[in-house]
Amino acid sequence: MTVWDDLVGQEPAVAVLRKAVSGASARLRGESGTVTNGMTHAWLITGPPGSGRSNAGRAFAAGLQCLNEGCGECAVCATALNGAHPDVTLIRTELLSIRVSEIRELVRRAAMSPTQGRWQVMLIEDADRLTDQAADALLKSIEEPPPRTVWVLCAPTVEDVVPTIRSRCRLLVLRTPPVVAVAEMLTRQAGIEPALAGFAARAAQGHIGRAKALARDEEVRSRRSKVLEVPFELHDIGACLNAAQRLVEAAKAEAKASAAKVDEQERTNLEQALGVGTKGAKPREAGAALKELEDQQKARAKRWERDVLDRSLVDLMALYRDVLVVQTGAGAELINAELRQDIDRLAGRTSPESTVRRIDALTGCREAIEGNVAPLLALEAMTIALFEG
């Protein structure tokens, strides 16, 4: 099994990356008349959520370092994929942005020659979260990189990256993985029963990580089911406000539960590093460092809460998409086929035009939350729009 096998449904992109790796290997061998096969020093990998942008970046890094161009079996591939390779630097964030200090450190490392590998690969998994100052700090290194340094940036769309950066990168666009390919992956790799794998692949709408969670965790499936009950509960304004409140509370609870798993360990690790709790005077910088960690954890919890809400809104959009499919007789496969009777009932009570307005309301809510509108206010406006249609 090679490093490319986990890139589900991305055969065209894999072909591009493999050709580039082959060209990079030929260049290192100093072959005369080398065909680079499109290999360049800076790449921008884009694709919808769950398409595997980060996985593609890691596979590319492993392929560049591996003597067999990504065999998936050697220690080089393993360490490159998990972030332990000394010449593969991974930058990702669970906060709202990537700070300029992080990028300056990355630029400093990029200037070094590889210590063990064949290339110095710098992978930024959340390039869409670069601040303007961070992007400015990165620009010079991308414009004039050392001869054996490769930059790989990942973002949802090309528009999410500032023009000065994206214009200097080779663009590689991933597609939404086909449902059939995701279902086959769940069955083959995780041993998921075919019917459940098919449901998870459809419900996840091509988001591989989401599909794995739905297939493996009954609680995740239960939370999704509760979200999809919302349109059928909106009988008056009071019900709309209650539904919005429940969605916000559920998102906070899920984000809090996820944060609790890592916050305490992070604080313990930092206290040990600072010597807090040992004999002697408390380190002078300990208070400031712990306060900075708390601020970062709060920002991460906010990001996670937003992500949970956005996922809920995407699930609701899929439900109304199914309603529109029934209303228009489009004949497309339903994402929520298990709710066919409820969808038929909702489709019979409304018009295609009102369904489109409801989808627009959900889209507007997602944009409002991303724009820092208070989630409860955005969701209240959204549920009322769903009710009034």
Side-chain angles (χ1 to χ4, degrees):
M1 184 173 178
T2 71
V3 298
W4 313 104
D5 293 341
D6 281 339
L7 302 182
V8 180
Q10 304 296 347
E11 290 79 9
V14 168
V16 170
L17 293 175
R18 297 190 79 157
K19 285 183 179 179
V21 167
S22 177
S25 296
R27 182 188 301 176
L28 287 180
R29 291 193 295 268
E31 296 178 2
S32 58
T34 293
V35 177
T36 63
N37 286 323
M39 180 59 193
T40 185
H41 70 280
W43 293 73
L44 174 57
I45 302 176
T46 67
S51 57
R53 299 185 301 265
S54 298
N55 288 342
R58 291 174 185 241
F60 187 37
L64 288 171
Q65 303 291 13
C66 176
L67 293 175
N68 295 312
E69 301 182 358
C71 67
E73 299 176 354
C74 65
V76 170
C77 286
T79 54
L81 290 175
N82 64 28
H85 194 287
D87 296 317
V88 176
T89 303
L90 307 178
I91 291 291
R92 66 188 305 271
T93 184
E94 291 167 337
L95 304 180
L96 301 180
S97 62
I98 298 177
R99 296 173 297 178
V100 64
S101 58
E102 297 176 83
I103 295 303
R104 285 173 178 159
E105 173 60 21
L106 199 63
V107 168
R108 185 189 67 80
R109 292 199 59 172
M112 300 178 181
S113 297
T115 58
Q116 295 182 16
R118 308 195 297 168
W119 300 89
Q120 186 75 263
V121 183
M122 320 304 292
L123 172 58
I124 303 178
E125 297 187 354
D126 303 290
D128 53 309
R129 298 186 186 179
L130 288 168
T131 64
D132 290 341
Q133 295 85 352
D136 289 343
L138 177 62
L139 180 60
K140 181 68 173 178
S141 184
I142 287 185
E143 284 182 325
E144 301 176 8
R148 290 174 64 184
T149 293
V150 179
W151 287 93
V152 184
L153 282 60
C154 303
T157 70
V158 66
E159 289 79 14
D160 291 319
V161 179
V162 295
T164 52
I165 296 292
R166 69 191 189 218
S167 64
R168 290 162 174 79
C169 299
R170 179 178 180 184
L171 178 62
L172 181 68
V173 180
L174 304 186
R175 62 183 179 178
T176 299
V179 169
V180 172
V182 176
E184 289 178 350
M185 179 271 295
L186 291 173
T187 301
R188 181 182 69 254
Q189 294 186 7
I192 304 298
E193 187 268 330
L196 179 56
F199 158 78
R202 280 188 291 102
Q205 302 176 64
H207 192 300
I208 296 173
R210 177 69 169 160
K212 289 179 178 178
L214 285 166
R216 294 169 175 169
D217 194 333
E218 185 176 353
E219 185 177 347
V220 173
R221 297 194 292 273
S222 176
R223 286 198 295 262
R224 179 178 180 274
S225 295
K226 290 178 180 177
V227 169
L228 295 181
E229 292 172 0
V230 167
F232 307 101
E233 300 173 345
L234 305 180
H235 305 303
D236 53 40
I237 297 299
C240 294
L241 300 181
N242 288 335
Q245 182 69 42
R246 288 199 307 274
L247 287 172
V248 171
E249 289 177 352
K252 287 183 177 179
E254 185 174 342
K256 183 177 180 180
S258 298
K261 298 176 182 178
V262 294
D263 286 359
E264 184 177 352
Q265 186 60 52
E266 286 179 342
R267 185 179 180 89
T268 299
N269 292 342
L270 180 58
E271 288 178 343
Q272 290 176 347
L274 293 171
V276 175
T278 58
K279 293 182 179 180
K282 183 178 180 179
R284 183 178 305 173
E285 69 278 10
L290 291 170
K291 178 62 168 60
E292 182 180 3
L293 176 63
E294 290 174 0
D295 291 342
Q296 291 177 358
Q297 290 175 341
K298 288 178 181 177
R300 179 174 61 198
K302 183 179 180 181
R303 176 78 256 174
W304 284 354
E305 182 183 337
R306 285 184 182 180
D307 290 345
V308 173
L309 286 173
D310 190 70
R311 189 175 66 226
S312 298
L313 294 171
V314 169
D315 287 337
L316 288 171
M317 290 177 72
L319 179 69
Y320 282 106
R321 172 264 188 198
D322 288 345
V323 171
L324 192 61
V325 167
V326 172
Q327 289 173 329
T328 59
E333 182 182 10
L334 298 186
I335 293 171
N336 300 282
E338 68 281 358
L339 299 177
R340 180 61 193 250
Q341 291 185 344
D342 292 330
I343 290 170
D344 286 343
R345 188 167 63 252
L346 193 57
R349 295 204 310 257
T350 60
S351 66
E353 293 78 13
S354 66
T355 302
V356 171
R357 287 196 296 271
R358 289 181 171 95
I359 293 174
D360 288 342
L362 288 161
T363 301
C365 185
R366 295 181 69 193
E367 293 173 349
I369 292 174
E370 189 62 30
N372 281 326
V373 173
L376 183 58
L377 292 178
L379 285 164
E380 287 177 343
M382 180 269 293
T383 53
I384 291 173
L386 296 182
F387 169 60
E388 295 177 343

